[in-house]
Amino acid sequence: MQRIDEVYESLKERVFQAEFKPNEMITEREICERYGVSRVTAGEALHRLCHEGHLTAYPRTGYMVTALSPADMARLKRLRLALETLVVRVLCEECGEEGLRSLYGLIADDPASVESPSAANRRFHMGLARLTGDPYLIDALEGVLGAASRVEQYVSPDKQSTWQDCHKGIVDALCARDAALAVRRLTEDLNQR
């Protein structure tokens, strides 16, 4: 069971990091070879991701990252805003100055140098959540961001720069202990998508 969990977690992270492109087929054989596991282990890990809605199974063909409908994306955005609003409020009330300042380190100086804009964006927002120290909040946001990452495949250089500006604005507001401004900056950031 431990090996299945390891393969499942690794595959889930790859899906959440948008390593699999839309319409790219993932096969049990590929997973067996990559992880050095049996077909049963690979199949169990892939089926878990299907059960969670991250993958869609195509019998005798393989698995694909599940596409999100516009309604799904709207629901995720609504839930994400609610969760991240809670995150910034908790940070304003409970986080120490040093912790808040550490968030600046999650903002790339040069957006063009970022290996994956979606991954960098996710890293920033998860960094906010992790700083709360609330495992339930972290887990909930990780699931929402992971699902949302399935649609953030290409990010233009202009949008990358805008994201970085929004992230800096969020951290500036947090450091000023201005929860209302942090929520406004967060809302601006999420409304860009």
Side-chain angles (χ1 to χ4, degrees), residues 58-79:
Y58 293 91
R60 295 188 193 87
T61 307
Y63 303 80
M64 228 184 282
V65 175
T66 304
L68 296 175
S69 70
D72 291 333
M73 293 183 324
R75 288 182 196 107
L76 281 171
K77 183 177 178 179
R78 180 178 61 211
L79 181 55

Side-chain angles (χ1 to χ4, degrees), residues 81-82 84-90 92 169-170 173-174 178-191:
L81 182 59
E84 290 200 64
T85 295
L86 178 58
V87 165
V88 297
R89 288 177 190 224
V90 167
C92 276
I170 292 167
L174 288 171
D178 189 337
L181 180 58
V183 169
R184 278 197 309 276
R185 299 278 195 239
L186 172 69
T187 303
E188 291 167 10
D189 182 35
L190 298 184
N191 282 335

Side-chain angles (χ1 to χ4, degrees), residues 66-186:
T66 304
L68 296 175
S69 70
D72 291 333
M73 293 183 324
R75 288 182 196 107
L76 281 171
K77 183 177 178 179
R78 180 178 61 211
L79 181 55
R80 182 175 176 188
L81 182 59
L83 288 171
E84 290 200 64
T85 295
L86 178 58
V87 165
V88 297
R89 288 177 190 224
V90 167
L91 290 176
C92 276
E93 293 172 12
E94 299 175 6
C95 190
E97 195 68 33
E98 187 177 324
L100 293 175
R101 294 213 172 276
S102 74
L103 293 170
Y104 286 114
L106 297 175
I107 303 169
D109 294 330
D110 177 13
S113 70
V114 175
E115 74 290 350
S116 164
S118 290
N121 185 58
R122 183 172 177 267
R123 192 170 30 255
F124 174 79
H125 287 277
M126 284 307 302
L128 293 173
R130 286 188 183 99
L131 198 53
T132 68
D134 183 332
Y136 303 107
L137 192 50
I138 294 165
D139 190 51
L141 188 58
E142 185 172 51
V144 170
L145 288 178
S149 73
R150 297 191 316 231
V151 295
E152 293 178 10
Q153 297 293 328
Y154 172 74
V155 181
S156 70
D158 290 342
K159 186 170 262 194
Q160 291 176 44
S161 183
T162 303
W163 279 0
Q164 301 297 54
D165 292 343
C166 285
H167 293 169
K168 185 178 180 310
I170 292 167
V171 178
D172 289 345
L174 288 171
C175 287
R177 304 290 178 173
D178 189 337
L181 180 58
V183 169
R184 278 197 309 276
R185 299 278 195 239
L186 172 69

Side-chain angles (χ1 to χ4, degrees), residues 26-40:
I26 307 164
T27 65
E28 279 184 8
R29 178 184 219 167
E30 173 189 343
I31 301 308
C32 291
E33 291 172 4
R34 179 178 177 91
Y35 295 98
V37 296
S38 70
R39 286 181 59 111
V40 171

